[in-house]
Amino acid sequence: MLDKFVVSMAGLRVLSGSIELIAAVLMLRFMQVEKALLINSGLALVGPLILLATTTVGLVGMADKLSFGKLFWILLGVSCIFFGILKK
């Protein structure tokens, strides 16, 4: 029996991988550094959104098994990841 949360998380990762592959194909098709950088910049937005969505689905799936303290530490850790990624 498949767990709907695991299937959702895997589906989001498949979507993310598909977007990455499509971006690579587009870069090869355009064969211009400027357009490749533009496509890559779009991926920089998609990656963190997929990370956040996947983590959210996983936390919702585990919410009944986690104490409030553990949930807080997980959310703090994800926040640190985003802070490190987005800080200039």
Side-chain angles (χ1 to χ4, degrees), residues 23 26-42:
L26 287 173
M27 287 179 191
L28 291 172
R29 180 177 173 158
F30 291 127
M31 292 300 258
Q32 294 177 3
V33 174
E34 295 84 10
K35 290 185 181 179
L37 282 173
L38 183 64
I39 292 168
N40 193 55
S41 297

Side-chain angles (χ1 to χ4, degrees), residues 14-84:
V14 168
L15 175 66
S16 176
S18 299
I19 292 170
E20 294 272 346
L21 288 173
I22 290 169
V25 169
L26 287 173
M27 287 179 191
L28 291 172
R29 180 177 173 158
F30 291 127
M31 292 300 258
Q32 294 177 3
V33 174
E34 295 84 10
K35 290 185 181 179
L37 282 173
L38 183 64
I39 292 168
N40 193 55
S41 297
L43 289 176
L45 177 65
V46 171
L49 292 177
I50 295 291
L51 171 66
L52 183 60
T54 305
T55 303
T56 301
V57 169
L59 288 175
V60 168
M62 290 182 58
D64 59 334
K65 299 174 188 172
L66 293 175
S67 68
F68 180 74
K70 287 183 181 181
L71 190 60
F72 169 76
W73 284 111
I74 292 169
L75 291 174
L76 183 65
V78 172
S79 299
C80 288
I81 291 170
F82 276 98
F83 180 74

